[in-house]
């Protein structure tokens, strides 16, 4: 079975290249990203990407999801997946920036869960992931607006 979790699509009044640079500015994630509060990676294809996320049950603290970088296509696509981290489950995440002209673009993120445990994970965590993805999309739009607004 396969399950897709997709964020809202947000339009951003900035060039795709600038939005890409904000998306990959991992040291500043704690300032604006409510769902992925830290990232540790080299972004080399095949290398780990450790994503620090708030606990799904809403309790205090975080947990780390180790995934693996698969595609880096600036300023358009970042893809990573869980590899064999969770036997019986593969999660493939895309973060996609689409130019809408020279000074405007859109952003959305989505993940496809497949494997033996996809149904159970989707049932237990689908809403958590959807809410997290929506919060990232909106927060990225707001972060870019704050960085590009005139003083």
């Amino acid at each position: 079975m396969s399950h897709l979790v997709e964020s809202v699509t947000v339009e951003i009044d900035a060039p795709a290249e600038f939005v890409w640079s904000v998306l990959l500015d991992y040291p500043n994630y704690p300032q604006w990203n409510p769902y992925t509060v830290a990232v540790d990676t080299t972004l080399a294809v095949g290398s780990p990407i450790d994503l620090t996320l708030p606990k799904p049950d809403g309790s205090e603290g975080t947990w780390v999801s180790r995934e693996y970088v698969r595609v880096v296509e600036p300023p358009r696509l970042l893809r990573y997946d869980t590899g064999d981290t969770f036997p019986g489950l593969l999660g493939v995440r895309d973060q996609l920036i689409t130019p809408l002209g020279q000074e405007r673009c859109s952003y959305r993120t989505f993940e496809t869960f497949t494997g033996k445990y996809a149904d159970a994970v989707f049932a237990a965590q689908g809403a958590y992931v959807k809410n997290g993805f929506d919060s990232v999309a909106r927060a990225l739009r707001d972060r870019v607006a704050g960085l590009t607004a005139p003083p």
Side-chain angles (χ1 to χ4, degrees):
M1 195 59 162
S2 175
H3 294 279
L4 175 69
V5 178
E6 185 171 358
S7 75
V8 295
T9 299
V10 295
E11 293 188 6
I12 303 172
D13 291 323
E17 293 81 6
F18 183 74
V19 175
W20 179 263
S21 71
V22 173
L23 182 66
L24 271 60
D25 182 14
Y26 297 132
N28 284 310
Y29 267 34
Q31 295 178 26
W32 67 269
N33 194 322
Y35 182 65
T36 311
V37 297
V39 176
D40 185 23
T41 185
T42 65
L43 281 181
V45 172
S47 71
I49 181 167
D50 291 334
L51 308 164
T52 303
L53 308 168
K55 289 187 177 176
D57 65 4
S59 65
E60 290 294 317
T62 59
W63 67 284
V64 176
S65 176
R66 171 158 281 185
E67 304 191 19
Y68 296 89
V69 177
R70 301 302 184 200
V71 179
V72 180
E73 292 179 2
R76 191 181 79 74
L77 174 65
L78 177 62
R79 175 178 295 148
Y80 42 89
D81 66 47
T82 56
D84 61 2
T85 304
F86 306 104
L89 177 71
L90 178 65
V92 179
R93 171 130 182 237
D94 287 345
Q95 294 188 70
L96 188 63
I97 297 170
T98 303
L100 302 173
Q102 294 287 352
E103 299 297 320
R104 191 165 173 76
C105 63
S106 67
Y107 168 86
R108 68 186 176 108
T109 186
F110 52 93
E111 186 154 356
T112 304
F113 295 99
T114 57
K116 179 179 178 179
Y117 300 113
D119 289 346
V121 169
F122 182 76
Q125 302 297 326
Y128 163 75
V129 174
K130 167 71 172 148
N131 290 336
F133 284 4
D134 286 352
S135 72
V136 170
R138 292 181 180 113
L140 176 63
R141 178 196 59 208
D142 296 348
R143 173 72 172 176
V144 169
L147 293 173
T148 59

